[in-house]
Amino acid sequence: MIQPRVLKGFRDSLPSQEIVKKQVIATLEEVFSSFGFVPIDTPVLEYTEVLLGKGGGETDKQIFHFVDNGGRDVAMRFDLTVPFARFMAGNLHKLPLPFKRYHIDKVWRGENPQKGRYREFYQCDFDIVGIDSAVADTEILLMMSDAFKAMGLSRFTIHLAHRGLLNAFLNHIDCGDHAVEILRIVDKLRKIGEQAVKNQLIEIIGSDEAAAAILNYITPKEGESTTQTIERLSELAGNEEEHTKRLKEIFALLNSLGIASNFILDPSITRGLDYYTGVVFETFLTDLPSIGSVCSGGRYNDLASLYTKEELPGVGSSIGLDRLLSALEELDASLAHSASSSDILILFLDETLLPLYLKTAQTLRESGVRCDLFLSDKKLMAQYKYGEAHEIPYALFVKGEDDFTLRNLEQRSDHELSLKEIVAQVKGTL
RNA sequence: GUGGAUGUAGUUCAAUGGUAGAGCACCAGAUUGUGGUUCUGGUUGUUGCGGGUUCGAGCCCCGUCAUCCACCCCA
């Protein structure tokens, strides 16, 4: 006998979870396509050299890679961004720019698993490439906001900062050489606290003064307006103008859209990844801050520089779907309760009526009602339990050609109804 | 990858190195107007897996697998 085990960090998905996941994805796709975004897909396996690019130290260790039967060095994608860059470089001539795509699929990382962190997980990416403008930045932000609202999560805050401005500031105080390390440390502020960040900064740059200046830059000031903050940061960066202007434009657009209250300028947001050059953002749920960012991203100068000479600026964002799903569950969001397998269960009571059961089921299905037929004449109790286990709201007694009783399984109440009324009833309460 | 904690019935939890238990859930039957009550009976099990110590291991030791936590990194 072989043990039915699954690998560390991998898991099965039961119908109750899978139905919710599919619905969340459907909701997201609806929002994305309403903005004119189109779906793409890329292979799960790529040449290792394509995925590793210049060879990032940490990703090397985390990537699943092996030699295939043809002797090729291949690897499983560990995110959707790198394959997207390769995809853009290879299909540039087929795609009109600016190009807006979304991509929702599994990725793999050989990392040590923890709660909400697995070796196989879903990512949901959406990007606009081929344009560098405040409108594109804002559209991504707006779409994030719409997506969360569509999922029934209206209590969220998107924290915004500007990587370019921060880099200008670091150069201004002569810390540009350590930019990558500094970003990584600052990114941990929320987690390890101010003092720990300061200590680590001093260790890296060897200057108390510079460390203090960096902390000052990233610490939000009480009672300051967004405009004031932008001016202050600009000043700290040596009266930087270009990035400052972009930030102002974005906030002006968010204001005109009337959604500025969901956004906050937060200079402590840096994102650890070093390819960001413009605006960066992270999304936090008001009622579940401990879960961390559920959607983050930013603007990058050049997506596909590894694969093509063509310059491709872009802005994009990524939703951690697994993290989001556990958030929906914890917050008891209505989307998390939509796990019913069908709308109505036809009860099996009398074998001689079977043709009528099947015919009724077909009629209901044609009217757009999801209809499940119990498959044997077990005790009624068992049939009710089946319905409940599948979260089916209604059971139907088919007693004759035009003789129906619709039972609300939760309320345990019966109603004699015509087939037409049954359809209306079932659809009306969905 | 490094360090730590944990692993007992479907589930929540017990059991001093001395015969593996309870509630809930589940199944069968009786009662109940086509479910909720009540009663009777039943399975709750390779104590994650494999070794070792011991007369004897759920308990102690080693290994292994998995989960959780921290680091690292990130979603």
Side-chain angles (χ1 to χ4, degrees):
Chain A
M1 201 85 99
I2 299 167
Q3 253 186 63
R5 56 190 186 155
V6 297
L7 286 165
K8 175 208 270 232
F10 290 71
R11 59 224 157 108
D12 287 325
S13 180
L14 296 170
S16 57
Q17 308 165 297
E18 198 63 11
I19 290 171
V20 172
K21 181 163 80 196
K22 293 270 188 234
Q23 264 185 23
V24 167
I25 290 175
T27 305
L28 290 172
E29 289 185 319
E30 212 170 296
V31 172
F32 297 161
S33 69
S34 79
F35 277 78
F37 280 62
V38 289
I40 67 160
D41 194 15
T42 66
V44 163
L45 283 182
E46 300 261 8
Y47 283 101
T48 304
E49 66 170 33
V50 166
L51 288 191
L52 288 186
K54 303 168 204 161
E58 279 306 318
T59 37
D60 279 22
K61 292 184 219 153
Q62 295 187 354
I63 200 165
F64 281 99
H65 70 110
F66 53 94
V67 176
D68 77 0
N69 294 343
R72 283 169 284 256
D73 191 2
V74 299
M76 294 169 84
R77 63 177 178 222
F78 56 88
D79 72 4
L80 298 176
T81 308
V82 174
F84 180 46
R86 197 267 309 138
F87 171 94
M88 284 308 295
N91 295 292
L92 254 183
H93 62 288
K94 297 179 198 156
L95 300 166
L97 294 179
F99 180 59
K100 307 175 177 182
R101 70 93 223 222
Y102 67 88
H103 193 177
I104 305 173
D105 225 317
K106 282 179 175 175
V107 301
W108 295 266
R109 287 181 202 173
E111 220 183 347
N112 252 359
Q114 260 175 56
K115 195 187 183 71
R117 281 173 76 159
Y118 308 98
R119 293 189 159 183
E120 176 181 63
F121 59 96
Y122 273 86
Q123 255 186 212
C124 166
D125 275 32
F126 43 98
D127 291 79
I128 304 176
V129 295
I131 184 165
D132 180 2
S133 75
V135 192
D137 292 342
T138 306
E139 186 158 85
I140 289 289
L141 293 170
L142 174 60
M143 198 161 88
M144 284 164 63
S145 160
D146 277 9
F148 279 99
K149 284 173 185 165
M151 287 183 291
L153 298 170
S154 52
R155 291 165 56 74
F156 63 90
T157 307
I158 299 177
H159 293 239
L160 271 177
H162 199 294
R163 174 65 75 78
L165 191 54
L166 177 62
N167 283 336
F169 162 72
L170 290 178
N171 285 330
H172 187 63
I173 61 168
D174 285 325
C175 288
D177 294 345
H178 300 290
V180 176
E181 295 122 289
I182 292 172
L183 291 172
R184 292 234 173 99
I185 295 168
V186 168
D187 201 41
K188 290 190 279 189
L189 177 67
R190 199 165 275 95
K191 209 169 173 183
I192 63 176
E194 204 168 299
Q195 194 54 48
V197 166
K198 190 170 183 182
N199 292 340
Q200 292 189 20
L201 284 176
I202 293 171
E203 211 171 298
I204 293 288
I205 42 187
S207 153
D208 287 27
E209 214 174 300
I214 293 170
L215 262 180
N216 174 52
Y217 177 95
I218 62 172
T219 306
K221 296 282 175 289
E222 289 281 331
E224 196 178 45
S225 77
T226 302
T227 321
Q228 286 169 329
T229 308
I230 295 176
E231 291 298 345
R232 181 170 59 82
L233 297 180
S234 167
E235 221 168 284
L236 288 173
N239 293 314
E240 201 281 342
E241 279 180 16
E242 185 194 345
H243 303 317
T244 308
K245 181 168 165 252
R246 174 64 62 88
L247 265 184
K248 282 182 189 163
E249 285 173 341
I250 291 170
F251 272 100
L253 288 171
L254 291 175
N255 264 314
S256 70
L257 282 161
I259 57 168
S261 60
N262 281 104
F263 294 83
I264 182 170
L265 179 62
D266 177 355
S268 71
I269 298 294
T270 60
R271 313 283 298 124
L273 303 171
D274 57 3
Y275 54 78
Y276 291 115
T277 53
V279 64
V280 286
F281 37 80
E282 295 192 355
T283 310
F284 297 92
L285 300 176
T286 314
D287 303 311
L288 213 54
S290 60
I291 202 168
S293 171
V294 287
C295 178
S296 41
R299 169 164 289 284
Y300 39 85
N301 255 351
D302 203 353
L303 175 71
S305 63
L306 279 175
Y307 316 103
T308 177
K309 282 180 185 159
E310 202 83 26
E311 209 167 275
L312 271 179
V315 57
S317 192
S318 184
I319 296 177
L321 215 55
D322 302 86
R323 203 176 269 189
L324 179 68
L325 285 168
S326 66
L328 285 169
E329 198 179 324
E330 262 189 70
L331 293 175
D332 221 26
S334 57
L335 255 183
H337 293 293
S338 49
S340 79
S341 63
S342 62
D343 306 319
I344 196 164
L345 173 67
I346 294 186
L347 302 170
F348 195 134
L349 300 169
D350 180 353
E351 184 118 33
T352 63
L353 288 177
L354 182 55
L356 190 55
Y357 294 156
L358 288 167
K359 194 181 137 207
T360 308
Q362 281 304 86
T363 310
L364 285 168
R365 287 169 191 143
E366 280 159 21
S367 312
V369 173
R370 296 181 301 162
C371 187
D372 192 358
L373 169 64
F374 200 84
L375 293 173
S376 64
D377 63 344
K378 271 217 207 166
K379 292 201 340 179
L380 201 53
M381 176 84 124
Q383 304 198 29
Y384 286 148
K385 290 231 158 113
Y386 172 89
E388 266 175 7
H390 290 80
E391 298 188 41
I392 301 172
Y394 294 98
L396 183 66
F397 292 89
V398 178
K399 294 171 291 186
E401 194 65 49
D402 258 316
D403 189 5
F404 304 107
T405 301
L406 185 69
R407 182 176 181 84
N408 183 316
L409 283 177
E410 199 192 344
Q411 293 168 9
R412 306 193 177 194
S413 58
D414 294 334
H415 301 281
E416 302 263 343
L417 296 171
S418 73
L419 210 50
K420 214 183 217 173
E421 291 168 322
I422 289 168
V423 172
Q425 171 77 24
V426 170
K427 280 185 155 177
T429 53
L430 288 178

